[in-house]
Amino acid sequence: MPPSDMTEEEKVFKDPVHGYIYVHDPVIWALINTKEVQRLRRIRQLGTSSVTYPGGDHTRFSHSLGVYEVIRQILLAFDRNGYQWPHHLDRLAMVSGLLHDVGHAAYSHALEQVIGMRHERWSERIILDPGTEVHRVLEEVYPGFAQQVADVIGKRYPNSLVVSLVSGQLDADRLDYLMRDSIFTGVDYGKFDLARIIRVMLPKEGKIVVRRSGLHTVEAYLLARYFMYWQVYFHPVSRSAEVILRAILSRAEEVHDTLFMPHPALQKLFGGQIGLADYLAIDDSVLMNAFNVWQTVSDSILSDLCRRLVDRHLFKYVEFPGSSPKVYQEIAHDVESLGYDPRYYCLVDETGTVYYDYYLGEEGTSGKEGALFLWDEERGQLIEMSRLSKPISAIARERQMVRRLYLPKEVLTHPVVGPRIVQRIHQDQDRLH
Ligand code: NI
């Protein structure tokens, strides 16, 4: 599309994170109006988190617009500061930001496990499939544009600056979702000074880096990430809903031959032959409706699990750090003795992250893409973040793992079995120490 077509009327969205989201480029506007992007209105950003934080009901759609807006603001700031930046790639960067989650699965990451394909791969597929509206809009820009966008999202695009704006240590995706999740859940210490981060970012030696004067702003951002993991993403009650959701999906798969499917795409999903159209048809409402309907099916395990999720009668948990398989077997046996199938009622949930990962090469500055660098103007060199920051070096690299055992409340409060389970876990922990 020639630049002369870009002088259309400005479109705006009101947004609690960025104030306003501005759209000038008709390509962005056309993409927002495709059915694949509109589908993201029907997928919540945080999956099961609203069982804990009732406000955390915002959608992938608002996040996708937000990522686009963050990239737009970063490019404007580069321009204002006179930084060298390949402006012919502006549209590619903004489009890739808008579409980075277009293939996200409904509800949460639990569904990805059933299908066995990560959402990033689905995003690329949606962008490249000639049958999608997104693909048609992209190919009208110029032939091959869709492939470039897929390459940015798949981190194969040769210009590393554009890739790192969309997915890197300090990318537009994280900047938007951390702020958005913090604002919508009400978890205030997840906030950081986004406007200032954008002001101190600059492109240098093929990377997005930060001016040295922005050290504390970036520290606040990385600490916000740390708090958000503990307060929101690892929250034990949200994880409990996620665990039950996984159990429902695996039970539905087990009995799918005889199970009533309220939507034809679900038959394909559990039959193991899901195509792109079926995948796109499954949004949060399709799954929620299935869980509602399955509350009354004859399979007592599935109906019970669905009632627990719908009515929020979630499983209770005990911390279960590195316990031996033998201990799990003994507990599973106890659970079974009370009439519960341990495959669905004795569930280990393991999750984890690295807040800030880096690897330094021999000169101390040639890290892999995970490292964050500060630009020291006076010395004319890049310095890896953790070398200048005590708090960041304290949380860097270490993989934070959370391992919990989820059981029905009735099991943990059982007068004989409950205390025995807890005792077994404690004895096993004592042995480890
Ligand atoms: Ni995202």
Side-chain angles (χ1 to χ4, degrees):
M1 197 165 291
S4 60
D5 286 3
M6 289 180 60
T7 51
E8 290 201 359
E9 183 198 350
E10 176 180 82
K11 306 283 199 296
V12 284
F13 295 90
K14 198 84 186 78
D15 178 69
V17 179
H18 307 296
Y20 285 101
I21 290 169
Y22 296 92
V23 179
H24 304 104
D25 183 348
V27 173
I28 295 288
W29 186 246
L31 286 169
I32 290 170
N33 290 304
T34 60
K35 64 179 179 189
E36 294 86 16
V37 173
Q38 289 293 314
R39 166 183 172 271
L40 300 176
R41 288 185 187 274
R42 305 189 303 276
I43 296 177
R44 279 172 305 168
Q45 174 76 9
L46 287 177
T48 57
S49 284
S50 64
V51 301
T52 316
Y53 297 101
D57 250 340
H58 52 298
T59 67
R60 292 266 158 203
F61 180 76
S62 63
H63 164 61
S64 299
L65 289 181
V67 174
Y68 150 79
E69 177 63 20
V70 170
I71 293 178
R72 197 187 70 85
Q73 288 182 18
I74 292 170
L75 296 177
L76 282 173
F78 285 175
D79 223 24
R80 280 198 305 274
N81 289 302
Y83 297 140
Q84 292 261 314
W85 172 263
H87 276 295
H88 64 285
L89 299 177
D90 281 5
R91 180 184 268 167
L92 177 63
M94 289 188 280
V95 165
S96 303
L98 179 68
L99 298 181
H100 80 287
D101 269 347
V102 75
H104 211 285
Y107 229 104
S108 73
H109 294 276
L111 197 63
E112 290 180 5
Q113 292 174 4
V114 178
I115 302 167
M117 184 160 134
R118 289 185 52 79
H119 70 266
E120 291 88 348
R121 294 281 304 118
W122 283 105
S123 294
E124 288 185 44
R125 206 170 148 185
I126 291 164
I127 288 162
L128 294 174
D129 190 298
T132 65
E133 293 183 7
V134 159
H135 180 82
R136 286 197 289 274
V137 172
L138 294 174
E139 287 300 282
E140 267 171 34
V141 177
Y142 54 80
F145 188 54
Q147 184 64 56
Q148 291 183 339
V149 174
D151 286 348
V152 172
I153 292 170
K155 301 188 192 181
R156 298 178 302 269
Y157 190 72
N159 188 308
S160 58
L161 278 172
V162 177
V163 173
S164 64
L165 261 191
V166 181
S167 45
Q169 189 61 243
L170 189 67
D171 62 24
D173 182 24
R174 284 184 190 178
L175 290 173
D176 183 81
Y177 78 65
L178 285 175
M179 278 297 272
R180 190 167 298 277
D181 295 348
S182 155
I183 287 170
F184 278 86
T185 55
V187 174
D188 276 350
Y189 27 89
K191 289 195 192 132
F192 52 92
D193 191 346
L194 177 61
R196 181 159 156 81
I197 287 208
I198 291 174
R199 243 161 36 76
V200 296
M201 286 167 91
L202 72 156
K204 203 93 208 167
E205 298 177 18
K207 296 188 256 290
I208 304 292
V209 304
V210 173
R211 289 207 305 265
R212 186 167 177 163
S213 59
L215 174 67
H216 300 307
T217 315
V218 182
E219 279 177 340
Y221 153 80
L222 285 169
L223 289 172
R225 191 169 140 73
Y226 169 85
F227 290 132
M228 286 303 281
Y229 268 95
W230 283 110
Q231 294 299 312
V232 180
Y233 309 131
F234 291 160
H235 195 287
V237 177
S238 309
R239 296 298 306 174
S240 179
E242 177 87 12
V243 161
I244 293 182
L245 180 66
R246 283 206 303 262
I248 290 174
L249 293 173
S250 92
R251 185 63 184 174
E253 193 162 36
E254 173 109 17
V255 299
H256 80 272
D257 278 340
T258 54
L259 184 62
F260 169 67
M261 295 292 172
H263 193 289
L266 293 174
Q267 189 66 50
K268 298 272 183 50
L269 169 70
F270 293 112
Q273 35 173 272
I274 188 162
L276 185 56
D278 304 310
Y279 184 82
L280 288 169
I282 299 174
D283 57 24
D284 283 8
S285 71
V286 167
L287 285 185
M288 194 31 111
N289 181 48
F291 303 154
N292 260 318
V293 170
W294 292 341
Q295 288 183 90
T296 54
V297 291
S298 59
D299 184 83
S300 61
I301 292 179
L302 184 62
S303 58
D304 176 65
L305 291 170
C306 285
R307 280 196 297 272
R308 286 175 190 268
L309 184 67
V310 171
D311 297 336
R312 199 187 175 280
H313 291 149
L314 304 174
F315 289 173
K316 298 290 170 201
Y317 75 101
V318 261
E319 298 292 343
F320 198 53
S323 289
S324 65
K326 184 171 156 283
V327 174
Y328 175 82
Q329 284 308 328
E330 288 166 0
I331 296 172
H333 191 75
D334 277 346
V335 171
E336 204 163 13
S337 74
L338 295 180
Y340 294 96
D341 184 335
R343 289 179 300 160
Y344 305 104
Y345 291 93
C346 182
L347 300 168
V348 176
D349 181 50
E350 197 171 39
T351 185
T353 194
V354 186
Y355 305 113
Y356 170 54
D357 193 11
Y358 64 93
Y359 163 79
L360 291 183
E362 280 180 9
E363 279 97 59
T365 54
S366 56
K368 72 170 188 183
E369 58 172 319
L372 238 167
F373 291 93
L374 296 160
W375 171 244
D376 189 320
E377 184 87 57
E378 283 166 28
R379 294 171 199 219
Q381 65 180 31
L382 294 173
I383 307 169
E384 191 277 319
M385 170 102 196
S386 65
R387 290 161 54 125
L388 295 175
S389 166
K390 282 234 168 77
I392 296 313
S393 66
I395 61 165
R397 290 214 103 165
E398 187 190 339
R399 183 158 197 91
Q400 202 70 52
M401 288 306 295
V402 186
R403 200 163 182 270
R404 303 181 179 118
L405 181 66
Y406 283 90
L407 302 158
K409 186 180 174 190
E410 305 87 297
V411 171
L412 271 179
T413 55
H414 187 277
V416 180
V417 172
R420 196 159 71 205
I421 289 175
V422 173
Q423 200 189 13
R424 281 196 165 120
I425 292 172
H426 287 168
Q427 280 172 353
D428 191 48
Q429 268 171 272
D430 294 343
R431 227 180 13 242
L432 286 173
H433 291 150

